[in-house]
Amino acid sequence: MRRITALLLGASLIAACSTETPDPSTHESDAARRDAGESGSAAAPHERNAYFGDLHVHTRYSYDAFVFGTRAGPDEAYEYAKGNAIKHPAGFDLKLDRPLDFQGVADHANYLGMLVAMNDPDSPAYGHPAAETVRNGGETQAERQSIFAAMQPYVRYMKDADPSIRTHLNKDIVRSAWSEIAASANRHNDPGVFTAFIAYEYTSAGPGGIYENLHRNVVFRGSKVPDIPFSRLDSFNPEDLWAKMDEWRADGIEALAIPHNMNGSGGRMFEKEYFEGGAIDSAYVEKRSRNEPLAEITQTKGTSETHPSLSPNDEWADFEIMPYRVSTSILSEPPGSYVRDAFRRGLEIEASGLDNPYKLGVIGSSDTHVAAGSFSEEDFWGASGLQTNSAEQRASVPSEPTGDIEAVDDGSGRTYPFTTTITNGGSGLAGVWAEENTRSSLFDGMRRKETFATSGTRMRVRFFGGTDLAGLDLEASDLIETAYRAGVPMGGDLNGGGAPSFLVWAMRDAMTAPLQRVQIVKGWSVGTETEERVYDVACSDGLAVNSATHRCPDNGASVDLSDCSISEGVGATELKTTWTDPDFDAGQRAFYYVRVLENPTCRWSTWDALRAGVAPRQDFPATIQERAWSSPIWYTP
């Protein structure tokens, strides 16, 4: 009954806050013209709406998704995003509780579509050296791992690899798959109703070629795209991707790149040196800033906001940490691997006399490899198809390891197989403030970094900064119009002036838990060093922030682990406030961003344990606090 009520309330909120579906007479003229890449909507900034989507979806055209059993293609992925059911590789139905506003299928560019072609007797890829292994395995976990291993020399080859390896990549097959991905996005793109972006993943690694995750999703503004994507098989160096994007831009093809899984980069994602060595300079800063305005702060393979070792005074820094380098059990180095650290590094780089290459907006996305993101802890089905489709494979319930897999004791005497999958989660979603639901409008919102990320919830976050916001009437009907006029939104810059004030407005997702608190995270420069602090700025349930500790009192929200029910009547529907930095120094560079926390709810591993009738793992949190992060606002003296 509570869920039904939430559904009805959610529907009413959506009806009250979303733009009206365009009139059919303008549907093919105004919105479609803008989607073709022409000028954006003439709507005023205060009329922008929050749109939610996923820009990191893998289908059968990604070699690893295919190995993991995924046979759904881009069409199925877009149908799922629009609210329709599709099949999981294990055979059960996948369906969202409500449609997304936009999505981008972002299959791996390296070996794009090649494994699909290896199963076609009429394709030249049918005779590929690994094709027989691909065709004759996949039923068991061991077989899938064998296929994955057999493909590694081809999908990861280095510049000094055996030249014969390169001859087995058929670029005509890659072009054909890429053409179908683009055609699918164009078929499903419905300006004003649902936006389908053309995208792909550039899957790079560090100079060593492996285990240093430097992956980016490349998202195109319109329907004009290159005839073949630039991949790691062209170059491992992300700087070469940016150069290629500049070439495309000169030919009228606009795109942006979004790094992800920085947490697994081994400290390489946010460096102060060129990829192949040497201190960065203004040319590096300009090229990176032009091509990478955003970062994916959260997704299924962990959250990359910050790490407890980087932020020891932040009680919430341990949220959904995936501590390993991607696809390994090697611990990743936190410095250079997390977004807040990148913000701080950007201030340090500015202090050295360069511009800041890390003025990044943030989004979330799923990185699903089953063509469908779950975005839900309760309904989490894993992200890797047949690799993680059961609770035993996810190591959320006790089971005996097989083969040479290590056994792990959770501290209670129960045994689990070691797998990094237990660190995965139901994140995340991208939020974009835009005038309308079209490619051009959403892309422009991403370009100006008026974006936010969530861990799967659809709470909405507004954030403005300026010197004249402290006295705003929070109940005024023109509040947002005034905020745009008197300040800058998330993603913006404040240059000089007195102590900045900020307007924060967080609105809950009616289908998830109520809000507990709103925080502003500040980082600032002290000479060539930086510091940070977390300020609670709005509390639920009429509670007040302690001026000495900058913390809200506990609102008493709890979770009953016997059935995962949550406290009733605790928390807020919305939290709205203005806040002035009490520790402002006009001579210090600074950044500010918002973090919003919901009341606690069960983690997916606890839901798995509950359904299996066993106690949750003791070495992982039983509950989490879903959250949202805004893009920062920067202050420059």
Side-chain angles (χ1 to χ4, degrees):
M1 181 63 71
R2 184 175 67 185
R3 187 166 181 82
I4 292 171
T5 303
L7 282 164
L8 293 173
L9 178 56
S12 66
L13 284 172
I14 292 167
C17 299
S18 296
T19 53
E20 198 171 58
T21 300
D23 182 87
S25 64
T26 62
H27 184 75
E28 293 300 325
S29 55
D30 296 337
R33 172 178 54 79
R34 288 189 288 275
D35 253 20
E38 299 179 31
S39 59
S41 170
H46 69 272
E47 297 176 312
R48 290 170 184 155
N49 292 290
Y51 296 102
F52 291 95
D54 185 0
L55 294 173
H56 195 169
V57 176
H58 293 278
T59 76
R60 64 171 177 256
Y61 288 122
S62 289
Y63 76 93
D64 50 357
F66 191 90
V67 172
F68 299 152
T70 295
R71 297 298 181 265
D75 283 335
E76 290 90 342
Y78 286 121
E79 288 296 336
Y80 172 82
K82 293 190 289 186
N84 299 309
I86 66 170
K87 292 290 184 183
H88 186 276
F92 55 87
D93 283 343
L94 306 176
K95 194 174 189 297
L96 285 169
D97 56 13
R98 56 210 140 144
L100 297 177
D101 298 309
F102 63 91
Q103 182 170 273
V105 167
D107 280 309
H108 296 291
N110 50 320
Y111 259 58
L112 183 72
M114 282 287 291
L115 271 71
V116 176
M118 288 179 194
N119 285 266
D120 180 1
D122 295 327
S123 170
Y126 196 78
H128 188 283
E132 188 172 352
T133 302
V134 170
R135 289 193 295 272
N136 296 334
E139 294 300 317
T140 68
Q141 188 88 335
E143 289 176 341
R144 289 190 290 274
Q145 294 289 42
S146 295
I147 297 171
F148 196 77
M151 289 305 305
Q152 293 312 294
Y154 304 100
V155 299
R156 293 183 180 274
Y157 64 63
M158 300 293 294
K159 59 186 178 183
D160 57 351
D162 181 348
S164 67
I165 292 177
R166 294 178 179 268
T167 66
H168 297 296
L169 174 66
N170 188 309
K171 290 194 174 183
D172 287 338
I173 291 173
V174 174
R175 287 188 183 91
S176 177
W178 175 237
S179 177
E180 173 51 30
I181 289 168
S184 177
N186 289 331
R187 283 194 297 271
H188 289 274
N189 191 53
D190 190 0
V193 179
F194 175 79
T195 294
F197 283 105
I198 304 172
Y200 77 89
E201 179 172 332
Y202 168 77
T203 313
S204 182
I210 194 167
Y211 305 146
E212 294 171 331
N213 186 92
L214 298 178
H215 300 187
R216 274 91 170 158
N217 290 322
V218 180
V219 181
F220 293 90
R221 188 177 192 269
S223 57
K224 187 177 180 181
V225 298
D227 72 330
I228 192 169
F230 184 89
S231 83
R232 68 182 288 158
L233 305 186
D234 297 300
S235 172
F236 274 83
N237 191 337
E239 296 151 25
D240 292 336
L241 169 66
W242 305 333
K244 178 59 67 174
M245 292 172 68
D246 283 343
E247 290 180 20
W248 293 338
R249 195 169 290 114
D251 290 335
I253 300 172
E254 178 59 42
L256 55 81
I258 306 172
H260 64 268
N261 276 130
M262 297 73 72
N263 53 343
S265 71
R268 296 302 309 266
M269 186 63 81
F270 302 119
E271 289 195 294
K272 297 180 180 179
E273 294 186 345
Y274 274 93
F275 181 81
E276 295 181 347
I280 63 172
D281 54 19
S282 58
Y284 176 98
V285 171
E286 291 170 5
K287 185 178 289 186
R288 182 162 191 162
S289 300
R290 181 167 57 248
N291 289 294
E292 291 191 358
L294 303 175
E296 187 182 283
I297 197 173
T298 186
Q299 61 131 270
T300 192
K301 293 197 294 289
T303 291
S304 299
E305 181 201 6
T306 191
H307 187 280
S309 68
L310 298 171
S311 302
N313 297 319
D314 181 351
E315 305 94 307
W316 295 272
D318 61 348
F319 180 72
E320 295 294 81
I321 297 295
M322 195 283 290
Y324 308 103
R325 299 192 187 190
V326 173
S327 300
T328 78
S329 58
I330 303 169
L331 289 175
S332 182
E333 293 77 3
S337 297
Y338 287 83
V339 172
R340 190 188 301 177
D341 187 55
F343 295 156
R344 293 179 63 168
R345 287 181 174 217
L347 298 183
E348 294 165 5
I349 290 168
E350 278 191 300
S352 74
L354 295 176
D355 286 337
N356 185 347
Y358 299 132
K359 284 190 173 182
L360 297 162
V362 298
I363 64 161
S365 282
S366 71
D367 196 10
T368 178
H369 282 62
V370 298
S374 64
F375 317 115
S376 167
E377 299 295 307
E378 182 178 354
D379 298 318
F380 183 62
W381 48 70
S384 300
L386 296 176
Q387 297 286 95
T388 59
N389 70 291
S390 71
E392 289 78 14
Q393 290 171 327
R394 296 192 288 268
S396 53
V397 300
S399 65
E400 289 297 323
T402 59
D404 58 357
I405 297 175
E406 180 186 353
V408 177
D409 188 316
D410 73 341
S412 69
R414 295 176 302 168
T415 300
Y416 299 80
F418 173 81
T419 172
T420 60
T421 300
I422 189 63
T423 67
N424 290 358
S427 275
L429 282 171
V432 181
W433 289 99
E435 292 83 0
E436 60 185 0
N437 189 1
T438 61
R439 284 174 173 169
S440 55
S441 188
L442 290 168
F443 190 95
D444 292 349
M446 290 189 279
R447 264 278 172 220
R448 64 175 179 269
K449 295 173 271 198
E450 198 170 354
T451 60
F452 59 98
T454 86
S455 57
T457 175
R458 298 198 198 183
M459 73 169 80
R460 291 169 292 152
V461 182
R462 307 210 82 147
F463 183 43
F464 296 87
T467 56
D468 298 316
L469 301 182
L472 291 180
D473 178 1
L474 297 179
E475 303 307 318
S477 60
D478 63 347
L479 175 64
I480 299 303
E481 183 177 3
T482 301
Y484 272 108
R485 186 173 61 249
V488 299
M490 62 182 80
D493 288 274
L494 298 173
N495 297 302
S501 296
F502 298 92
L503 168 66
V504 185
W505 189 357
M507 294 149 274
R508 73 166 286 192
D509 178 347
M511 294 174 66
T512 60
L515 308 181
Q516 185 194 76
R517 68 186 71 212
V518 173
Q519 302 174 317
I520 289 182
V521 179
K522 176 189 177 183
W524 69 96
S525 60
V526 182
T528 58
E529 303 297 322
T530 58
E531 297 183 16
E532 64 176 53
R533 181 172 295 161
V534 178
Y535 300 84
D536 286 5
V537 299
C539 315
S540 69
D541 303 288
L543 300 170
V545 177
N546 183 306
S547 60
T549 64
H550 305 293
R551 292 291 180 268
C552 296
D554 184 0
N555 70 351
S558 62
V559 182
D560 183 343
L561 296 183
S562 70
D563 61 5
C564 283
S565 60
I566 62 176
S567 302
E568 298 283 359
V570 182
T573 299
E574 68 172 13
L575 291 171
K576 181 167 47 174
T577 191
T578 57
W579 177 81
T580 302
D581 181 359
D583 303 306
F584 177 70
D585 184 328
Q588 295 174 339
R589 295 176 179 85
F591 63 80
Y592 303 84
Y593 69 89
V594 168
R595 185 171 65 189
V596 186
L597 276 65
E598 291 184 352
N599 284 344
T601 52
C602 275
R603 190 176 187 265
W604 66 265
S605 49
T606 302
W607 279 108
D608 274 2
L610 178 64
R611 285 187 280 262
V614 299
R617 277 185 71 154
Q618 300 301 298
D619 54 344
F620 278 83
T623 65
I624 64 170
Q625 286 185 270
E626 300 275 14
R627 59 197 63 192
W629 304 261
S630 78
S631 295
I633 292 172
W634 290 267
Y635 170 83
T636 303

